[in-house]
Amino acid sequence: MKIVEAKNVVYEYIKRDEEGNVESIEKALDHMNLVVEPGQVIAILGQNGSGKSTFAKHLNALLLPSEGSVLIDGLNVEEERKLNAIRQRAGMVFQNPDNQIIAAVVQEDVGFGPENIGIPADEIWKRVEKSLRSVGMWKYRTHSPNKLSGGQKQRVAIAGVMAMEPKCVILDEATAMLDPNGRREVKDAIMDLNRRKGVTIIWITHFMEEVIDADYIYVMDAGKVVMEGTPHAIFSRVDELQEHRLDVPQITLLAHELKQAGMPLPDGILTIEELADALRK
Amino acid sequence: MSLILDHVSHWYSRDTAYEVKALDDVELTIGDGEFIGLIGHTGSGKSTLIQHLNGLLKADEGNIYYNGQDIYDKDFDLRELRTQVGMVFQYPEHQLFEETVFKDVCFGPKNQGLPEREMTLRAYEALKNVGLPEKCFEISPFALSGGQKRRAAIAGVLAMKPAVLILDEPTAGLDPRGRDEILDLIEEMHRHYGNTVILVSHSMEDVAKYVDRIIVMDGGRVRFDDAPREVFRHYRELEEIGLAAPQVTYFLHELSRRGIPVDTDATTVEEARDAILNYFGRAGRR
């Protein structure tokens, strides 16, 4: 079974004036289609306002589609009775580390999710330990979250999601407010989860160097998928990416410029090694 | 305009168990019209340093001179200094507060005690400079998009016409388009007005692309202070202190390691392209 299956999803924001009359209807999602297999790492790129976050919020039923359907592990997000089941399967990490930590002690924050769904206490403690260890934050378990760095806070937030034992984790620009070290910490923690536990990852970001290890990339613009493919295929289309106002990794851009200047290089070069090998020939 | 830091040291929680020396004997001269990148990992002292430049924090040891005057002198006007050394904090849009965008931008000049007419002119010019359309002037700043809010907040500092503009991570949290717009705008302003700009950034690629001089902080000390290509030559030492060089610098060093002797000093994509074309062009003609 597919872990995520979005078919022709439309989401409309209705703007109303002071009297409540409809002023305008904006389509944040415009017939969006996307399929994710279990265990994949998927990246979604797109400039601000392209609909990435609106789409992410459909994946655990924070928003419901105006048209079309979203299935998570075969469950339709519109079935209210299944809401808890859906949110246990699809966990979300948001952008601002300070907005998603609620407890005064790290380990209590991580235990908050499982506690809410009635997991027995000893099982909660097992999960808290397992998840904090998996993101390398176990030794901070009795610390206060407000003394942690941004990257550490995001790792605690990820542990909190992990304690729910989800099949899929959605990161909505979870590294946007972090420094380079923090970004690396979060990316390593997430890739490790994918490799060791087979958790599906949906990674929404502006940082291109974070997505070159993804299995598949979707590029969104104006509420639609405008490009999709493997990282190599996507980053072969430098001009098109720039049209959508997206970055290209520096090495890819350099290869593209050298090619335009007449050097015989293949498309879609992503790493320093690939470009050095190609130049050697 | 000149800013001189003479053996400046600063402690947090001095003489307690939590004592931290955040600045350790910093010596710097910042000249007129420079475009400087200030880099360093979290906790290296960059934020502490910039807060000294307009007197928000006071040095525990050492002196700071603005245009030759000691800013810790009893007669020195710190208020005036703060209009001369304009500071754009991280996420400056969190500080927007007025009813309209225009009023918000007027707040700084108003506190400078400028006459109404001058204040209006400056606010208008600043908003034009940051590229906000006129239809935004009279709406609430909270109705703007994220990128627009940030530009409105920057306009509020520009309206004071500071001789030195300090920006602490002005592109944090923006998408690539918003980032390019803000940095291009800062560069354009710098070229037009010739003001001194200090850009605090985590992105080596951005710093390499825009600035003429890089100051690297580590453990409260100035570790490097030179032109980008000189600083990024020390890429291994930069890594040791939690920083890095732009990707292209690594690539050129990799080429040279593999026996392709290109010029390894390039720090931007354009320079790297030229270095490689230059080498292969020569090799081709041989």
Side-chain angles (χ1 to χ4, degrees):
Chain A
M1 201 186 310
K2 314 271 187 254
I3 184 84
V4 175
E5 208 173 350
K7 270 196 207 142
N8 279 320
V9 179
V10 174
Y11 183 79
E12 288 171 333
Y13 280 105
I14 300 176
K15 272 195 182 161
R16 293 175 189 277
D17 63 15
E18 279 161 14
E19 274 100 51
N21 303 312
V22 176
E23 250 183 0
S24 64
I25 299 177
E26 275 177 47
K27 274 195 182 142
L29 294 178
D30 187 4
H31 298 90
M32 168 94 186
N33 289 291
L34 186 146
V35 176
V36 184
E37 302 285 346
Q40 277 190 314
V41 178
I42 294 292
I44 303 180
L45 307 175
Q47 57 173 310
N48 287 349
S50 60
K52 312 182 295 290
S53 293
T54 307
F55 180 69
K57 290 190 181 104
H58 280 74
L59 299 180
N60 69 352
L62 287 173
L63 293 176
L64 297 175
S66 313
E67 279 174 43
S69 66
V70 178
L71 302 182
I72 301 299
D73 202 19
L75 304 173
N76 191 326
V77 295
E78 288 179 271
E79 271 187 73
E80 221 169 291
R81 284 180 303 118
K82 304 273 172 66
L83 201 59
N84 275 340
I86 290 165
R87 292 197 176 145
Q88 275 170 52
R89 280 171 174 74
M92 188 102 119
V93 181
F94 296 96
Q95 187 182 112
N96 191 337
D98 294 319
N99 289 352
Q100 49 194 327
I101 291 187
I102 38 110
V105 181
V106 165
Q107 60 187 0
E108 284 175 12
D109 193 80
V110 176
F112 180 77
E115 198 181 345
N116 267 314
I117 51 171
I119 306 284
D122 48 340
E123 167 71 10
I124 295 179
W125 285 114
K126 273 186 212 150
R127 287 192 186 188
V128 167
E129 175 168 356
K130 223 165 51 180
S131 355
L132 277 173
R133 281 191 193 281
S134 73
V135 296
M137 290 297 291
W138 176 242
K139 67 175 176 205
Y140 294 96
R141 63 188 177 278
T142 55
H143 284 227
S144 157
N146 62 30
K147 288 272 169 75
L148 301 177
S149 74
Q152 290 173 330
K153 282 183 205 166
Q154 286 299 63
R155 285 191 282 158
V156 171
I158 292 169
V161 169
M162 286 319 298
M164 302 289 281
E165 303 194 334
K167 293 186 172 177
C168 172
V169 175
I170 302 131
L171 295 107
D172 188 3
E173 293 190 37
T175 58
M177 298 177 83
L178 305 182
D179 69 5
N181 287 334
R183 290 217 297 273
R184 208 169 311 128
E185 286 169 16
V186 169
K187 167 114 197 260
D188 290 348
I190 280 294
M191 293 309 278
D192 196 51
L193 275 180
N194 173 262
R195 266 192 305 269
R196 289 196 298 131
K197 306 232 169 94
V199 177
T200 308
I201 305 296
I202 298 180
W203 185 272
I204 299 175
T205 185
H206 294 313
F207 295 105
M208 301 302 141
E209 64 276 14
E210 286 175 356
V211 307
I212 57 180
D213 305 324
D215 295 311
Y216 205 76
I217 295 178
Y218 290 89
V219 177
M220 289 186 69
D221 204 359
K224 283 191 190 110
V225 172
V226 288
M227 294 169 77
E228 59 177 284
T230 61
H232 276 104
I234 292 289
F235 289 118
S236 297
R237 294 149 78 184
V238 171
D239 293 328
E240 226 176 307
L241 282 168
Q242 287 179 334
E243 263 167 51
H244 295 297
R245 301 301 299 258
L246 291 174
D247 264 352
V248 178
Q250 254 199 338
I251 290 301
T252 310
L253 191 59
L254 177 60
H256 180 72
E257 298 245 323
L258 288 171
K259 198 180 173 196
Q260 286 199 327
M263 293 193 71
L265 292 170
D267 281 325
I269 283 176
L270 296 176
T271 65
I272 287 175
E273 284 69 36
E274 284 170 19
L275 183 53
D277 289 344
L279 275 178
R280 255 260 170 94
K281 283 171 195 151
Chain B
M1 192 303 299
S2 73
L3 259 171
I4 297 170
L5 282 77
D6 183 29
H7 296 284
V8 168
S9 295
H10 186 89
W11 282 262
Y12 287 113
S13 313
R14 199 178 185 182
D15 300 326
T16 74
Y18 303 101
E19 181 178 292
V20 180
K21 195 168 192 183
L23 289 183
D24 186 1
D25 199 27
V26 172
E27 274 195 83
L28 275 178
T29 302
I30 292 162
D32 207 11
E34 288 195 272
F35 198 151
I36 298 173
L38 180 59
I39 62 179
H41 67 93
T42 312
S44 63
K46 356 182 248 308
S47 298
T48 309
L49 176 67
I50 57 174
Q51 289 180 68
H52 276 76
L53 299 182
N54 70 351
L56 285 175
L57 288 177
K58 190 166 185 286
D60 292 310
E61 280 171 15
N63 289 305
I64 297 176
Y65 300 93
Y66 182 73
N67 286 337
Q69 282 180 289
D70 185 348
I71 71 166
Y72 300 135
D73 206 75
K74 262 208 314 290
D75 306 324
F76 188 83
D77 187 356
L78 271 178
R79 240 180 111 99
E80 176 61 19
L81 177 70
R82 290 186 185 131
T83 67
Q84 289 300 307
V85 181
M87 179 95 78
V88 178
F89 288 100
Q90 260 186 56
Y91 299 96
E93 59 274 22
H94 293 169
Q95 299 171 37
L96 294 167
F97 72 102
E98 271 282 14
E99 278 167 40
T100 71
V101 172
F102 198 82
K103 276 191 194 167
D104 204 282
V105 176
C106 284
F107 183 76
K110 196 166 154 189
N111 278 303
Q112 272 177 289
L114 291 176
E116 180 88 21
R117 195 182 137 72
E118 174 71 13
M119 179 180 94
T120 312
L121 281 173
R122 283 198 181 188
Y124 191 82
E125 187 185 350
L127 280 164
K128 280 277 162 200
N129 278 332
V130 299
L132 277 180
E134 239 165 282
K135 63 171 198 259
C136 293
F137 289 10
E138 291 305 320
I139 63 174
S140 160
F142 304 105
L144 300 175
S145 76
Q148 286 176 329
K149 273 187 204 163
R150 186 153 310 173
R151 280 190 266 165
I154 293 176
V157 176
L158 292 178
M160 295 192 286
K161 297 218 166 167
V164 185
L165 181 63
I166 302 171
L167 303 112
D168 191 0
E169 295 249 15
T171 63
L174 295 181
D175 67 356
R177 175 191 207 151
R179 179 202 61 205
D180 289 346
E181 282 173 0
I182 294 279
L183 290 175
D184 287 346
L185 160 93
I186 293 164
E187 191 188 33
E188 179 59 35
M189 298 278 306
H190 169 69
R191 228 178 315 171
H192 188 249
Y193 293 100
N195 56 348
T196 304
V197 178
I198 301 175
L199 177 69
V200 180
S201 176
H202 278 128
S203 164
M204 301 304 140
E205 282 78 11
D206 289 349
V207 167
K209 190 170 164 194
Y210 290 95
V211 310
D212 314 316
R213 170 182 171 193
I214 293 178
I215 297 172
V216 182
M217 294 292 294
D218 176 44
R221 289 172 158 268
V222 175
R223 185 71 183 266
F224 298 104
D225 178 4
D226 217 326
R229 55 170 53 219
E230 300 297 331
V231 170
F232 288 132
R233 255 183 212 158
H234 302 278
Y235 66 104
R236 291 198 195 280
E237 286 134 288
L238 289 175
E239 274 170 19
E240 279 162 23
I241 58 174
L243 298 171
Q247 255 196 316
V248 293
T249 307
Y250 288 99
F251 172 65
L252 294 171
H253 281 281
E254 174 68 17
L255 277 187
S256 114
R257 210 178 53 79
R258 292 188 183 199
I260 303 178
V262 288
D263 173 14
T264 51
D265 278 353
T267 57
T268 66
V269 170
E270 290 71 28
E271 287 170 14
R273 177 197 62 200
D274 295 343
I276 292 167
L277 288 177
N278 193 9
Y279 170 75
F280 281 97
R282 268 202 326 251
R285 275 198 301 276
R286 252 202 313 252

